[in-house]
Amino acid sequence: MKQTFILLIFTLCLSLTSAAQEDTRDLGRGKVGESELKRDGENSEMDSLGYNNVDSHIKTWRLSDYGTRKYILNVDTLLGNIHNSNPIFQRSIGNSYLGNLGSPYQSTIFKDRVRNQSFIFFNTLEAYMNMPKEVLYFNTTTPFTSFYYTTAGSKDRAETRLRVLHSQNINQFWNVGINFNLISSEGQYQNQKTKLYDFNLFSSYEKGRYGAHFVLSQNRIEINENGGVSADSLIRETTTAPENIRVNLSETKNKLSNFNFVANQYYNIGNGKDLIIDGDTSQIYPVKVVHDLSYESDNREFKEGVVNKDFFKNTYLNNDKSADETTLNKFSNGFHIIFNENQNKKLSFGARLGLLNEFSVYNLRRLVGENSFSQKDKSIHNTRLMASIFRQSGINWNWEFSGEYFFEGYNRSDYQLDGNLVYQFGDSINKQNLKIKSQTRSNTPDFLMTEYYGNHDQWSLNLDKSKELLLGLEYEIKKYGFKIGGQINNLENYTYFGYDTIVSQTNKSIQVATAYIEKDFRLGNFTLSQKIVTQKSSDNDILPLPDLSIYSNNYYSNSFFNGALDIQAGFSVYYDTSYNAPNYSPSTGQFFLQKEQELGDYPKVDLYFNFRIKRTRIFVIYEHLNAKMGSQNYFSSLHYPINPGLLKFGLRWTFYD
């Protein structure tokens, strides 16, 4: 059935592509060359197109800051790292997770962690979700379709990932597209299945002074919770097959869903002029007015068919079966005015001013009397003012200073100030960047961090505002694949999930110092791509971190038949030094502190082979090659081993003419 479904989606996209060829001939022809489809990743990666004489013109972009900023991006045309099919390792080189594709995770690198989501249950799943801020908009003279598929394992332990993107123009100004993603993994251990899918319908219209962007999206996640293995020695000291190893929980699930609708419209005022930003020429008007409207609905259910009181520290409500459910509905409405920079004036910077109102309704179990609970609503609203000044068109220096202040509502008196400076020098070939960033903020913890009543976890807290100061510096030479940087975070009233699995807040001041370096070493057809992150926490009892995280990707690459065939063969290594890696609580879906044992100090090795034939990229990878070699201490989180060795196949097929 699954294979039939995949075939239907693929066939549908091919049909749409073919049917749209005639409709898009009048859009004006261009060529997809380096000016349109630039490399967007490691400099050592290989171009998948194979040739540049394709009669197609594609532009892509994302919106940020509530639709007030437009970032021109490049279509993914790279062969390198196609074998890295786990989204969490595409976001960060180090992660604590439950071992299976699609399972909850937390980055081992503090600066990469997801924090302060309005619906905290998504913090450990964010990398798998396709939210409106991630949507890629298109304007293309020919329909564009991308098909990505991976498969691994036997039928009862199968792992599948599918991603289909299709975009086409209705006319010169109006584009529509769909994006479907699926992750389905049975896992190698019992009761470990994950199933996640998201679907996006997106559209953009830009003509003259007016433009509009729309997104309709749905994310659904289902995770079987097994509570980890019953004894770590079954992994470290035996050769027992994974499917025969006892786990702690059965008939226990987390189910989450997310729905979004976003409508963003703008209107330009004044006489338009060409402005060059990062090499792209855009028509810029003196003033732009933006209206951004969004609706989000989130839901999370934790269900137990059988309650295991021996596993959970506490059971408050039901000893047989239980279901904890939390829902959030959020409506946001914002108005913004942008005064764009003018290169012909002495003071050429731009400015933004915005007013945003948010209204949220949580539905959750609440205390209504002594030991009496009821599912009730909690309404929250906020109004905030946002302002910034910026310069994006400078030859050398570009900068932005922005701030926001909550002057009314639940988050009253919260603020955030950001400063970013970029100094660019060197010619187009030897381009170098120096980046300086800073941030200070005061933030009221999310409502769910202050109140929650589940069957196994309950808290009602008066939390102080969390405060943070961040300073960062980065230097990059793109030609040599070289990047070096550092960051310091100072945290006050840091809020976290403590040793007792529930929310806690410290009145200590905690500092985190991070330094990182990336470098590609090339020796003929060989590339050694290295990424190293070192970090130090001033309080390892509250915020434990590995001292060192490494990602080493080493491969041989070459082209044959006048560029019609590219190959890449190599191996990659992931490594974290030992530290008190977190434990995981299925009842909250959150990682929490533990001092039972240190984990890490284990290299995970993957062996892969990638090749491209024209627009088709195919890979074969054997993940965790060293599972049965030497130490078998491959736990990513306490009692949660990563999956043993697994052979995986995949392909990406792109159509755009």
Side-chain angles (χ1 to χ4, degrees), residues 106-281:
Q106 181 186 75
S107 176
T108 61
I109 300 171
F110 182 75
K111 72 181 185 67
D112 293 340
R113 288 187 178 176
V114 178
R115 295 183 289 152
N116 300 321
Q117 283 271 13
S118 60
F119 198 63
I120 62 173
F121 303 110
F122 290 152
N123 282 355
T124 58
L125 298 163
E126 188 263 353
Y128 309 113
M129 303 174 66
N130 197 348
M131 304 295 279
K133 65 180 180 180
E134 303 289 339
V135 169
L136 193 62
Y137 298 97
F138 285 78
N139 188 290
T140 174
T141 57
T142 55
F144 178 86
T145 301
S146 177
F147 177 84
Y148 178 77
Y149 177 70
T150 69
T151 183
S154 58
K155 184 176 181 180
D156 58 339
R157 291 290 179 261
E159 175 186 304
T160 302
R161 187 174 180 197
L162 170 69
R163 182 169 69 240
V164 180
L165 168 68
H166 178 79
S167 177
Q168 66 185 60
N169 273 52
I170 304 301
N171 56 41
Q172 186 177 354
F173 313 103
W174 181 20
N175 178 275
V176 295
I178 58 172
N179 188 15
F180 177 82
N181 294 286
L182 168 71
I183 293 176
S184 178
S185 181
E186 297 289 338
Q188 305 301 299
Y189 301 92
Q190 299 177 38
N191 307 328
Q192 198 187 32
K193 182 178 180 178
T194 60
K195 188 171 184 180
L196 310 90
Y197 76 83
D198 62 74
F199 175 83
N200 280 355
L201 176 65
F202 58 90
S203 181
S204 62
Y205 179 88
E206 293 186 317
K207 182 180 181 181
R209 300 177 183 273
Y210 176 76
H213 297 79
F214 300 93
V215 177
L216 192 69
S217 70
Q218 175 77 58
N219 291 273
R220 289 191 176 274
I221 303 170
E222 185 172 317
I223 300 168
N224 284 7
E225 302 282 5
N226 67 11
V229 298
S230 59
D232 293 356
S233 59
L234 295 173
I235 302 295
R236 295 189 175 113
E237 301 172 8
T238 71
T239 57
T240 306
E243 62 270 19
N244 295 326
I245 293 177
R246 290 182 56 192
V247 295
N248 290 308
L249 296 177
S250 62
E251 300 184 46
T252 305
K253 289 185 178 182
N254 267 306
K255 298 177 68 175
L256 302 96
S257 65
N258 162 263
F259 172 82
N260 293 278
F261 172 74
V262 176
N264 178 277
Q265 300 181 76
Y266 69 81
Y267 187 79
N268 288 302
I269 301 171
N271 296 320
K273 294 182 178 180
D274 287 339
L275 185 69
I276 300 175
I277 300 175
D278 293 332
D280 292 297
T281 302

Side-chain angles (χ1 to χ4, degrees), residues 515-622:
Y516 54 92
I517 186 169
E518 302 178 11
K519 181 67 176 80
D520 294 342
F521 300 93
R522 299 185 182 90
L523 303 170
N525 294 108
F526 293 89
T527 300
L528 311 178
S529 181
Q530 315 301 312
K531 297 181 180 181
I532 301 173
V533 179
T534 179
Q535 52 190 347
K536 185 66 176 178
S537 169
S538 64
D539 194 330
N540 283 313
D541 290 332
I542 296 176
L543 186 52
L545 299 168
D547 291 334
L548 190 67
S549 297
I550 297 174
Y551 172 64
S552 178
N553 186 24
N554 311 279
Y555 56 87
Y556 169 86
S557 58
N558 208 342
S559 296
F560 301 92
F561 308 113
N562 295 321
L565 171 66
D566 288 338
I567 65 168
Q568 186 181 75
F571 67 94
S572 57
V573 181
Y574 297 89
Y575 176 81
D576 289 317
T577 53
S578 61
Y579 76 112
N580 287 322
N583 201 345
Y584 171 78
S585 173
S587 55
T588 60
Q590 304 296 314
F591 290 90
F592 65 95
L593 299 177
Q594 63 86 21
K595 277 190 175 181
E596 185 176 330
Q597 59 179 293
E598 288 191 352
L599 302 174
D601 193 23
Y602 179 85
K604 174 180 174 285
V605 181
D606 299 336
L607 181 67
Y608 64 87
F609 180 76
N610 303 331
F611 63 97
R612 174 199 59 80
I613 304 175
K614 293 187 176 180
R615 298 178 196 160
T616 304
R617 286 160 285 173
I618 301 173
F619 72 87
V620 180
I621 182 172
Y622 194 91

Side-chain angles (χ1 to χ4, degrees), residues 118-121 326 362 364 446-452 459:
S118 60
F119 198 63
I120 62 173
F121 303 110
T326 306
Y362 291 90
L364 71 165
D446 178 71
F447 172 72
L448 291 175
M449 299 290 280
T450 66
E451 180 179 319
Y452 182 78
W459 60 81

Side-chain angles (χ1 to χ4, degrees), residues 49-98:
L49 297 179
Y51 51 87
N52 290 322
N53 296 320
V54 180
D55 196 16
S56 183
H57 185 89
I58 302 170
K59 287 187 176 181
T60 57
W61 65 92
R62 280 197 178 102
L63 298 180
S64 67
D65 296 339
Y66 304 97
T68 63
R69 300 190 66 175
K70 180 179 180 180
Y71 289 95
I72 303 298
L73 299 171
N74 303 306
V75 174
D76 180 13
T77 63
L78 307 176
L79 177 61
N81 278 348
I82 185 178
H83 57 275
N84 180 11
S85 59
N86 193 329
I88 69 175
F89 285 101
Q90 295 167 357
R91 301 290 183 96
S92 181
I93 66 171
N95 295 280
S96 294
Y97 65 118
L98 307 189

